[in-house]
Structure formats: structure tokens, C-alpha cells
Amino acid sequence: MASTKGLFARLTRRGPHRVLRGDLAFAGLPGVLYTPESGLGLPGVAFAHDWLTPAGNYTRTLEHLASWGIVVGAPATETTLAPSVLNLSYDLGTTLDILTGVRLGPGQISVNPGKLGVAGHGFGGSAAVFAAAGLGGRLRAAAALFPTVSRPDATAPAAGLSTPGLILGAEEDTSSITASTLELAAAWEAATLRIVKKAAPRGLAEGRRLQSFAGLPGSDRRTQKTVRALLTGYLLFTLTGDKTYRAFADPEDDLPRTSLPSEEFVAGTPEEKFVALLKG
């Protein structure tokens, strides 16, 4: 079996599948859709965008997931200055309904309703948590990538989640007033927290022209490359059961370009976990 380092390096590159692009609007929901060229009973993921970030700014990341055999849809809703995290979470559920309820492509692509997940970046990370709480046992996994605070707060639904989760944070999160990484990690017992070294949290989105105009950071290729590998490996294991990628979901396994929380965090109560993270 390939080493974890070798698997990580492999997952930073596109997978073996040719990718097709579609439009969720054919089923009544604005958004984009990426699938492998063919395959029946595939895993499916609904992906939520960050604040003021079009779904199209994740094109390469969504294509990357599809190239590894994952069907992924991203709703292009809640793009105003004051979006609703609850509405976006609802749209994630609608996206999964579309993925599982419609034969995609030229009839050669379908999604297995038992292999579903949600993921989101920033504001969308909080939406993914709400979606996971609302969808309950329908999901095999959820991922919050550099999650940010929302109103209402996603910590409350996270505390009741039994769905396995991946939370990716940045080294700067202990001093950030917008990141909700620490709170979610302390509350979500079934989630694995990984801190991405030298990450630019907002840099996961590509392009970011509007954000740059507003004075927000631009895209960061290193962050994108690392997150794509971590997320792909995690989803391949949790959604498909491919044991090759078990390490990407193992809270005790070190992965390249990341660090894990201390033993004090792992063993503590939610309050003790939060304090441990702040110290770490």
C-alpha cells in the first residue's frame, strides 16, 4: 500500500476520470454540477460557497473531486451582502435531492443515496453544519473548510451531530474574530480537526475579483492544493469505504502539511477542548 505521503501527493493531482460540467438550473436550482464522465452508484456531495463568493470560484476544486469519481453540485444562491446560512443549508439538501433523483449526463451517471456528503468553505462551512444537522442519517460525512461565524451560530447544531466530520482550520484561528473553527471543533464530537500549515483561509476560492476589490485576500494555490488532497481523501474513505484512504479520516494519523490538536483537546469536555485549542 502506498504511504500516506504518497497518497497525499497523488491526491493533489487530478484523478483518472474525465470531467463533465452541468447546470443545476435544469432542475430549478441555480448552481453548477460536476461529474465523472460515467459511473453508476457514485458518491455525491453538495458544496457551499463562502460569503460573496460565486460558486464558479471553486471550479478547479469541484472538478478535482469529480476527477476522483465524486459527483458534486454547488448551489449559486445566497450571494448577497446579507445571506441566510439557513437558506443555503436548505439549498444543499435540495442539491442532494437533485443528484440522487435525476439520471445525470447522457444517462450513464447516477448517485447512490447511501453515499452522500456536504461540504462548505467559510460561511458555507457553517451552512454545511446546519445541513448535516437537518439531513441527519442521510449523510455519511460533512466537511467545514475554514468555517466562519454565522447568525444563527452553527455551534449549537454541531453539538448534536453524530455525522462524521472534517474541520480544516488555519494557524491564525486562535486570534481570528471571524473563524469558528475552534468552537465547532470543541462542540462536534464526531469531527476530526486538522490545522493546515501556512494556510490562507479565504484563499481556497479561485479568482476572488470582487473580494479583492473589497479589500479581502485573493486566491492561494498552496492552500487550494492542500485542501483538495485532504478533502478528496476524506470523502473517498467516508463515502465509498475505500480503505486506501483510511488515514485521511483517522484523527490519530498525521497528514502532510497539517497538524492535529493535542491529547488534552481530544480527551476534554467541550469547554476543556476550547481552552486546550486556545493554549495550543
Side-chain angles (χ1 to χ4, degrees), residues 36-233:
E37 185 174 26
S38 63
L40 301 179
L42 298 172
V45 172
F47 186 93
H49 61 79
D50 194 7
W51 179 66
L52 285 182
T53 307
N57 283 46
Y58 298 94
T59 294
R60 292 187 181 86
T61 295
L62 304 182
E63 286 180 340
H64 187 89
L65 292 173
S67 76
W68 283 97
I70 300 169
V71 175
V72 56
T77 58
E78 300 305 318
T79 57
T80 64
L81 283 170
S84 166
V85 69
L86 296 180
N87 287 347
L88 185 55
S89 70
Y90 181 84
D91 291 338
L92 291 177
T94 301
T95 299
L96 292 179
D97 288 340
I98 294 171
L99 298 188
T100 56
V102 179
R103 185 62 66 90
L104 307 171
Q108 300 177 11
I109 305 163
S110 68
V111 172
N112 187 330
K115 298 180 179 179
L116 300 179
V118 292
H121 172 223
F123 173 78
S126 291
V129 172
F130 276 103
L135 293 169
R138 286 187 61 190
L139 301 183
R140 281 196 179 182
L145 314 175
F146 309 113
T148 55
V149 295
S150 64
R151 293 292 179 270
D153 187 0
T155 303
L161 270 181
S162 59
T163 303
L166 172 67
I167 302 173
L168 296 184
E171 294 163 313
E172 64 191 54
D173 286 348
T174 53
S175 59
S176 172
I177 62 173
T178 59
S180 61
T181 309
L182 306 187
E183 294 88 342
L184 284 180
W188 191 355
E189 291 288 338
T192 297
L193 169 66
R194 295 189 187 275
I195 301 301
V196 181
K197 297 177 181 178
K198 299 181 180 180
R202 292 189 177 276
L204 178 60
E206 303 141 20
R208 301 194 69 96
R209 294 178 182 176
L210 177 59
Q211 291 80 351
S212 297
F213 178 78
L216 299 176
S219 63
D220 184 82
R221 291 186 179 181
R222 176 186 172 88
T223 299
Q224 293 162 8
K225 192 174 184 179
T226 300
V227 170
R228 288 168 192 163
L230 296 172
L231 180 60
T232 302

